[in-house]
Amino acid sequence: MVDLRTLVPDIAQDIRYFGRDNFVGAPVDGYDAPRCWLKREAAEALARVERSLREKHQRLRVFDCYRPARAVAHFMRWAADPADVKTKATHYPDLDKPQLLGGYIAPVSGHSRGATLDLTLLQCDGRDAACTPLDMGTAFDYFGTRANTDSPEATDVQRANRRQLHAAMAAQGFHNYPMEWWHYTFKPEPTPGLLYDVPVTALEEPMSQAEIERLMQPYDGDAPGASLLVRNGPQAGAALTLEAGVTRLGRHPDSEISLDDITVSRRHADIEHTAAGWEVRDAGSLNGTYVNNQRIDRAQLRHGDELQVGKFRLVFFTKSDG
C-alpha cells in the first residue's frame, strides 16, 4: 500500500471518513489521518488519470481510498442502530435505513482490498488555479437512484460530467460501480482475495503535548498574543507569530506565514484577530483547511486547537488563554 501523495503530491483530497461530513456523521474507525492509501498498481494508474486530466485543465478530488475492515464494521454498527437517523435528510432522504444494507452498505467492502476509491472531477481555470467540482447531480455518498451513474433523474449536463469522469478512469483500467457515479475499482485487482485492516495513519507522527509545551516560545505584540506551533515536517518545533491584523498562510513567498510544500495552495488560509477573537478562513484552497480534523470555511480558534494546512499540522496558542 502506498500513500497517493507520494506519487501525486498535490492531489486534491477531502477524506470524508476522517471527519464528520459523512453518512455516519462521525469520524470512522480506522481513519487516523486524512490520507489516501492504495495498492501501488492502482495508485500509479490513478496518477496517470490525473496527468491526462491536467492537460485539459481538470483534476480529481478524492473522497475515500483504502478502507480498513474495522471501518466497514463501524458502518454495519451504524446501520443496525435505528435511532441514529441524523444524516437521513442529506444522505438517504428517500430510503429507510434498513434499505441501505446490501446495495450500499455491506459486511465486506472492496475498498478494504486497496484498489477501490471514491472521487469526483474538478474543472480548473486556464492557469490551473481555481478548480471547482463539476455538477454530478448528487453529493458523494448520496444513497438513492439519482446517484446511479446512468440515472435518468440526472440532467443531460450532469450525465455528461459523469461520462467525462468515467472516460478518464476507464482509460487507465478503472471500472465503475453503476449504483454510484463516484465509485471506481482498478482491475485486475492486485490482491482480489485479501482484505486489510491496517489503520490509515500519517507518515509523520505529531509531537507529544509535553514537547509542544517545551518548544512554545514567548511572543509580543499589541494584539492579544497568539502563535502557531508547527507539529510536523521540516519546521517542526517552530513557533510562528500571528500578526495583529490579517496573517496570510500559503505557499506564496509573500505570505506572512510561508509553508513551502506542494500540498499548500499559494494563498491557502487567513487568520485575523477580530473583536470576537481569532478567526481562521479558508482562502479557496484546493485541499481545504481543517480545524480539529473538521474541514472549515471559517472558524473561531481556541487555545490548543489543531489547524491543518496541507501537510502541516499547527497548534494554536494564545497568551491570554495559555
Side-chain angles (χ1 to χ4, degrees):
M1 211 84 71
V2 299
D3 188 325
L4 181 59
R5 280 193 167 153
T6 63
L7 301 178
V8 189
D10 59 342
I11 189 79
Q13 296 183 176
D14 182 9
I15 305 300
R16 293 294 180 86
Y17 301 137
F18 175 68
R20 298 181 181 276
D21 185 10
N22 57 63
F23 68 88
V24 175
V28 175
D29 292 352
Y31 289 86
D32 297 340
R35 303 286 182 140
C36 170
W37 286 6
L38 289 169
K39 297 296 288 184
R40 178 168 292 279
E41 297 89 337
E44 290 176 348
L46 194 68
R48 293 194 295 271
V49 175
E50 179 79 354
R51 285 197 296 271
S52 70
L53 288 171
R54 293 190 184 196
E55 296 175 0
K56 299 183 288 185
H57 302 293
Q58 293 179 324
R59 299 184 66 169
L60 299 170
R61 174 175 287 164
V62 177
F63 298 123
D64 190 34
C65 299
Y66 156 69
R67 182 181 303 163
R70 70 191 67 189
V72 181
H74 189 163
F75 292 170
M76 293 299 293
R77 292 195 303 274
W78 172 84
D81 181 3
D84 186 353
V85 292
K86 62 179 177 289
T87 65
K88 177 176 173 59
T90 301
H91 289 279
Y92 54 107
D94 301 322
L95 297 174
D96 292 327
K97 198 171 183 182
Q99 294 176 277
L100 302 179
L101 293 170
Y104 297 104
I105 300 173
V108 174
S109 171
H111 280 271
S112 300
R113 295 193 289 268
T116 295
L117 71 160
D118 303 323
L119 74 176
T120 192
L121 185 60
L122 310 178
Q123 182 65 56
C124 307
D125 63 19
R127 298 181 295 109
D128 292 323
C131 301
T132 57
L134 292 179
D135 180 8
M136 296 296 184
T138 75
F140 164 63
D141 265 357
Y142 175 88
F143 301 139
T145 55
R146 188 152 46 96
N148 297 171
T149 305
D150 294 323
S151 174
E153 300 171 55
T155 67
D156 290 344
V157 170
Q158 291 163 351
R159 285 196 299 273
N161 291 340
R162 294 177 184 188
R163 285 194 292 269
Q164 285 190 67
L165 176 60
H166 187 282
M169 296 294 286
Q172 297 300 333
F174 288 92
H175 294 241
N176 174 243
Y177 177 51
M179 289 185 68
E180 299 171 343
W181 59 260
W182 56 81
H183 183 125
Y184 285 85
T185 298
F186 178 74
K187 294 186 178 180
E189 292 186 68
T191 52
L194 185 60
L195 300 175
Y196 295 92
D197 192 33
V198 180
V200 179
T201 59
L203 296 178
E204 297 169 307
E205 292 300 321
M207 292 182 292
S208 67
Q209 192 64 33
E211 185 73 358
I212 290 173
E213 298 292 351
R214 185 183 71 80
L215 290 169
M216 189 60 201
Q217 301 297 314
Y219 41 82
D220 300 307
D222 296 330
S227 66
L228 297 172
L229 180 67
V230 184
R231 295 191 70 165
N232 67 323
Q235 300 183 58
L240 309 173
T241 303
L242 297 176
E243 302 292 332
V246 176
T247 301
R248 298 170 297 176
L249 288 75
R251 202 171 73 247
H252 195 285
D254 290 343
S255 302
E256 281 77 24
I257 294 181
S258 181
L259 301 171
D260 187 15
D261 187 82
I262 199 165
T263 61
V264 179
S265 296
R266 289 173 65 80
R267 178 76 179 273
H268 199 108
D270 298 331
I271 297 178
E272 182 177 11
H273 184 255
T274 69
W278 293 92
E279 180 182 77
V280 58
R281 300 183 296 270
D282 185 77
S285 68
L286 185 62
N287 291 319
T289 300
Y290 293 78
V291 175
N292 298 330
N293 300 332
Q294 301 300 308
R295 187 166 182 160
I296 58 96
D297 292 321
R298 63 174 59 215
Q300 291 295 124
L301 289 172
R302 301 287 184 264
H303 182 73
D305 281 350
E306 183 177 88
L307 176 66
Q308 185 168 344
V309 176
K311 69 178 287 185
F312 293 92
R313 299 171 70 184
L314 314 150
V315 180
F316 175 76
F317 285 83
T318 61
K319 181 185 290 185
S320 57
D321 292 338

